[in-house]
Amino acid sequence: MLENLMKYRIILASNSPRRRKLLEELGLKVEIKPVETDETYPASISPPEVATFLARRKADAYNGLEESDLLITADTIVAMGTTILGKPGTREEAVNMLRLLSENLHHVTTGVCLRSMKKEVVFEVTTRVYFTALAGNEIDYYVDHYRPYDKAGSYGIQEWIGYIGVDRIDGSFYNVMGLPVNRLYRELKNF
Amino acid sequence: MLENLMKYRIILASNSPRRRKLLEELGLKVEIKPVETDETYPASISPPEVATFLARRKADAYNGLEESDLLITADTIVAMGTTILGKPGTREEAVNMLRLLSENLHHVTTGVCLRSMKKEVVFEVTTRVYFTALAGNEIDYYVDHYRPYDKAGSYGIQEWIGYIGVDRIDGSFYNVMGLPVNRLYRELKNF
């Protein structure tokens, strides 16, 4: 499958082991070349726009794209209404974010940029995620045992808190993990 | 967490490595003791009722429940409308089921039975699953490489076909894998 990509060297400009694994499950061999970028964004744009803005910015930060390269970058944004929940800086921030998510709906958007020397495709996919009520000791247990300081919104859906806390999603599950693999597969098929 | 279960020996009467893994992710230590049962059911009952009917039948087939045992059994049913899609017996059946799922909505229900000598709790959870259009060569590739003959509905959502084919679910993801872990956690907390 995806024979049309055989001519490309596929580069994933991301440090995320989850994204790498998701791409490999699609049957792709990828080279990992993380980029350093400033992750600020204009205050005026909506959370889904932030996801594509940052995915594109990561592609812009990649140097040395060659003729046969296909570059993949992505950014995942967790938002409640118009408020974006970033990576928690402290234990207190992590606990507060999880309190906010408890018994609430939030949105997870992943923006993706596919770029070669001749072409660029940018898209984003949003999943609605519903948390049931989280008890104080469940939040404490998760933060102390899983240390979600590298995770936007302070949680990983594939970790314990996702098992006990998320009772329903509406949309793509893998999108919440970091890549909307179904849409991505179709975009890659047509690239 | 789930300290209330400390007094129990938890027995999972299932051969499914996925169910075992899902329970372990909840932090439970389980003993695996599969049972042999007749998986027929009355023609008059609905797909969700079949799931709980078979979960209870598996519990009934378990011999030697002791004072400190908590037995967990489950059955997952894949249905399109009122038609239940079982495990495919042949390659042709597998291909036909996937053709049916392609570009369609179906329902996955897992019935769960929790039983001790003093108490029984039975419940079921349903997830709506949407497949995008699957090409003939994608179906062939999946059936030949993944051989889904042990899977109701001929697919595993955590396998390649789930990545490329399922673009949306409405409900619990882990329920489609074999156990509704969020609901299960809450039922176990109150057991």
Side-chain angles (χ1 to χ4, degrees):
Chain A
M1 301 294 110
L2 296 179
E3 287 86 356
N4 60 313
L5 300 184
M6 296 277 268
K7 62 182 177 214
Y8 289 110
R9 175 174 76 146
I10 301 170
I11 298 165
L12 173 65
S14 167
N15 261 321
S16 159
R18 292 181 296 280
R19 289 209 177 100
R20 178 191 196 145
K21 191 176 167 297
L22 291 169
L23 279 175
E24 287 173 347
E25 292 284 337
L26 285 183
L28 296 174
K29 285 202 179 105
V30 295
E31 283 184 36
I32 309 292
K33 299 198 172 183
V35 291
E36 288 289 323
T37 37
D38 166 19
E39 296 202 6
T40 57
Y41 47 82
S44 59
I45 66 178
S46 70
E49 287 170 323
V50 172
T52 52
F53 177 88
L54 291 178
R56 200 181 261 123
R57 169 167 283 184
K58 287 175 182 175
D60 291 343
Y62 182 83
N63 284 314
L65 195 70
E66 289 178 28
E67 186 74 38
S68 64
D69 292 348
L70 167 53
L71 178 68
I72 303 177
T73 58
D75 196 83
T76 300
I77 292 289
V78 176
M80 190 168 274
T82 55
T83 306
I84 290 178
L85 306 177
K87 296 173 184 173
T90 62
R91 185 179 190 288
E92 197 188 349
E93 262 181 53
V95 168
N96 285 343
M97 273 190 215
L98 289 166
R99 274 192 199 143
L100 197 64
L101 296 177
S102 171
E103 254 187 311
N104 240 321
L105 158 69
H106 66 277
H107 292 82
V108 178
T109 301
T110 298
V112 179
C113 177
L114 308 177
R115 187 183 286 182
S116 69
M117 274 176 76
K118 290 192 185 134
K119 206 173 159 183
E120 183 186 74
V121 176
V122 177
F123 59 92
E124 99 277 344
V125 173
T126 297
T127 305
R128 296 159 67 92
V129 181
Y130 299 81
F131 264 93
T132 47
L134 299 171
N137 65 339
E138 290 166 346
I139 291 176
D140 289 342
Y141 175 85
Y142 176 66
V143 171
D144 292 337
H145 286 77
Y146 290 83
R147 307 186 55 77
Y149 299 109
D150 62 333
K151 294 193 171 64
S154 299
Y155 78 96
I157 197 165
Q158 71 287 353
E159 293 183 343
W160 179 81
I161 197 85
Y163 279 67
I164 72 143
V166 175
D167 78 334
R168 184 183 154 211
I169 68 164
D170 183 1
S172 158
F173 177 82
Y174 297 112
N175 189 45
V176 184
M177 277 180 70
L179 279 177
V181 285
N182 176 273
R183 172 76 181 274
L184 177 59
Y185 174 82
R186 282 180 290 147
E187 296 288 353
L188 288 171
K189 221 159 82 163
N190 298 323
F191 193 83
Chain B
M1 299 297 108
L2 295 177
E3 286 85 358
N4 60 313
L5 301 183
M6 296 278 269
K7 62 182 177 214
Y8 288 110
R9 175 174 75 148
I10 301 171
I11 299 166
L12 173 65
S14 168
N15 261 322
S16 159
R18 291 180 296 280
R19 288 209 177 101
R20 178 190 196 146
K21 191 177 169 296
L22 290 168
L23 278 174
E24 287 174 347
E25 292 284 338
L26 286 183
L28 296 174
K29 285 201 181 105
V30 295
E31 280 184 37
I32 309 293
K33 300 199 172 183
V35 291
E36 289 288 323
T37 36
D38 166 20
E39 296 203 6
T40 56
Y41 47 83
S44 60
I45 65 177
S46 69
E49 287 169 325
V50 172
T52 51
F53 177 88
L54 291 178
R56 200 181 260 121
R57 171 167 283 185
K58 288 175 183 177
D60 291 344
Y62 182 84
N63 283 315
L65 194 70
E66 289 179 28
E67 186 74 38
S68 65
D69 291 347
L70 166 54
L71 177 68
I72 303 178
T73 58
D75 195 83
T76 299
I77 292 290
V78 177
M80 191 170 274
T82 55
T83 307
I84 290 179
L85 306 177
K87 295 172 185 173
T90 62
R91 185 179 190 286
E92 196 187 350
E93 263 181 52
V95 168
N96 285 342
M97 273 189 215
L98 289 167
R99 276 193 198 142
L100 198 64
L101 297 177
S102 171
E103 254 188 310
N104 241 323
L105 158 70
H106 66 276
H107 292 81
V108 178
T109 301
T110 298
V112 179
C113 177
L114 307 178
R115 189 183 284 181
S116 70
M117 275 177 76
K118 291 193 184 133
K119 204 173 160 183
E120 182 185 72
V121 176
V122 177
F123 60 92
E124 100 278 343
V125 173
T126 297
T127 305
R128 298 159 67 91
V129 181
Y130 299 82
F131 263 93
T132 48
L134 299 171
N137 66 338
E138 289 166 348
I139 290 176
D140 289 343
Y141 174 86
Y142 176 67
V143 171
D144 293 336
H145 286 77
Y146 289 84
R147 306 185 55 78
Y149 299 108
D150 62 332
K151 294 193 172 63
S154 298
Y155 79 95
I157 198 166
Q158 72 287 354
E159 293 182 343
W160 179 80
I161 198 84
Y163 279 67
I164 71 143
V166 175
D167 78 334
R168 185 181 153 211
I169 69 167
D170 183 3
S172 159
F173 176 83
Y174 297 112
N175 188 45
V176 184
M177 279 180 67
L179 278 176
V181 285
N182 175 272
R183 173 76 181 274
L184 178 58
Y185 175 82
R186 281 178 291 148
E187 297 289 352
L188 288 171
K189 219 159 83 164
N190 298 323
F191 194 84

